[in-house]
Amino acid sequence: MVKAIVGANWGDEGKGKITDTLAQDADIIIRFQGGSNAGHTIKNSYGKFALHMLPSGVFYDHTTSILGNGVALNIPYLFNEINDIVSKGVPMPKILVSDRAQVLMPYHMLFDQYEEERLAGKAFGSTKSGIAPFYSDKYAKIGFQVQELFMDEDELRDKVERVLAQKNVILKHLYNKPELEVDDVMKTLAEYRDMVAPYVCDVSQFLHDALAEGKQILLEGQLGSLKDTDHGIYPMVTSSSTLAAFGAIGAGIPPYEIKDIITVVKAYSSAVGGGAFVSEILDEAEADELRRRGGDGGEYGATTGRPRRVGWFDAVATKYGCQIQGTTEVAFTVLDPLGYLDEIPICVGYEIDGEVTDRFPCTSKLEKAKPVFKKLPGWKCDITGIREFDKLPVEAQNYVNEVEKLIGYPITLVSNGPGREDIIKRDPQI
């Protein structure tokens, strides 16, 4: 059986914890898109970790962790992460890398940085991890697949020369930066080949065989619905598809094998980078209070460390995000930080040009939207450690029930703390 774990909103919903929790019953966990530009924070018996390339199931010795063909494969970053977790007592994970995955090159990060500098005040808020230049090259067919690292050297050099002929024109005439040298790029590719060689696999065939054997497979997405290239808040999106449907492509399995789509939804809103954010808290003191209390140690990017923008729960955006994911069930996370509030606002509609709607619009209309809030009573206590839904304060129960009603998708898991064990299984009300 294949389950997909994906985000409903802007990312940072807590997918890492949910993947880590559900991986206990899985055989294989696959990262199917994105790269080192976003982090999944996990707290378990080994400690606290911020993973960027590795799938969030690497902490179990019975699982195989796969980097699928849809990822932006930052090879040095991957191996630094492996070494880091092993140095902290985690058993050496079983890792496979798709021979069809594309390699993120050092110059992708340079181009990302140079473009953000060039755009200045109109920059996209990139993490400068090279993601947009990487995916641009992939679809322009001037990237390097893992399998190409093992090509005949003369053939590989010929491709490098053709790629750099284009890159150097841009570097010289657009960015006024030093040009790339063929020998330097060839050396980098050789180093990457030697690093990744023990892990390369025909992942699609591996998964085909695993499905035939009845293995349990988790697909782990990065970011969330609103950062999807096609269906998100374009152009302030990531450069790959964040949807569960892409999991089949990014892993190399038939789409009909995905039986369960667990969409992770946060009890309030947060986002890194620019773009429309209707329910954002604009009062800086109020925002900073939630930011400091939120997440696990505050709402700060696991990759960048920069403060996340925060806002109240947005039912309009979340319902849309769940809809385009094809949600079968919802994991509702970080409920516990809201315990300090007397009242908790929920955005239940958008006012656009004088009309109120509960439908999520395209970006040009979204930029004009003003939030319509409904307030619910807070529970004014610490709810961490509670393991049964009916043991939560009635106000906390009502908050979860109201969110479920507004988004129209069943909430089956409620996370009320950062640890693996801080989770409540719940019978949906819809």
Side-chain angles (χ1 to χ4, degrees), residues 21-208:
T21 300
L22 298 183
Q24 183 173 355
D25 299 319
D27 301 296
I28 298 165
I29 302 94
I30 308 163
R31 272 287 306 276
F32 63 84
Q33 48 83 221
S36 60
N37 54 317
H40 289 172
T41 302
I42 296 165
K43 189 173 183 179
N44 55 33
S45 59
Y46 294 107
K48 182 179 176 181
F49 301 87
L51 299 182
H52 302 84
M53 284 302 309
L54 284 170
S56 298
V58 292
F59 300 100
Y60 296 96
D61 57 11
H62 69 276
T63 59
T64 298
S65 294
I66 294 178
L67 283 301
N69 55 273
V71 302
L73 183 66
N74 186 327
I75 292 175
Y77 214 117
L78 171 63
F79 286 94
N80 286 340
E81 275 195 1
I82 293 172
N83 293 335
D84 180 60
I85 67 170
V86 171
S87 73
K88 295 175 181 175
V90 179
M92 179 65 186
K94 303 179 186 74
I95 304 288
L96 294 177
V97 175
S98 172
D99 55 3
R100 290 172 172 82
Q102 296 258 332
V103 179
L104 188 138
M105 298 295 292
Y107 57 73
H108 288 137
M109 290 180 274
L110 290 176
F111 274 80
D112 202 349
Q113 176 186 327
Y114 297 158
E115 182 64 5
E116 288 287 282
E117 290 172 359
R118 187 182 73 85
L119 291 171
K122 295 183 179 180
F124 290 101
S126 168
T127 60
K128 301 181 179 65
S129 302
I131 301 302
F134 165 89
Y135 281 110
S136 296
D137 281 4
K138 176 176 179 175
Y139 293 109
K141 298 176 284 294
I142 54 172
F144 295 93
Q145 281 193 344
V146 166
Q147 52 91 14
E148 291 182 288
L149 301 179
F150 302 90
M151 287 169 57
D152 176 82
E153 186 174 345
D154 289 340
E155 292 181 16
L156 184 57
R157 177 175 285 272
D158 180 64
K159 179 171 180 177
V160 170
E161 289 173 348
R162 286 184 282 112
V163 170
L164 295 197
Q166 183 210 69
K167 298 294 179 191
N168 284 337
V169 169
I170 298 171
L171 285 169
K172 181 177 181 179
H173 296 288
L174 180 62
Y175 298 129
N176 193 30
K177 299 293 185 179
E179 297 180 37
L180 299 168
E181 297 290 340
V182 172
D183 287 344
D184 292 341
V185 174
M186 287 294 293
K187 181 181 177 182
T188 298
L189 291 171
E191 291 171 352
Y192 287 4
R193 177 198 64 212
D194 294 342
M195 292 171 70
V196 80
Y199 307 94
V200 178
C201 172
D202 181 344
V203 162
S204 181
Q205 185 61 51
F206 178 85
L207 294 174
H208 175 84

Side-chain angles (χ1 to χ4, degrees), residues 211-231:
L211 287 167
E213 295 168 10
K215 301 289 188 182
Q216 299 293 310
I217 298 172
L218 292 182
L219 301 175
E220 181 185 16
Q222 180 218 55
L223 295 170
S225 302
L226 305 184
K227 289 292 186 177
D228 182 77
T229 310
D230 293 294
H231 299 281

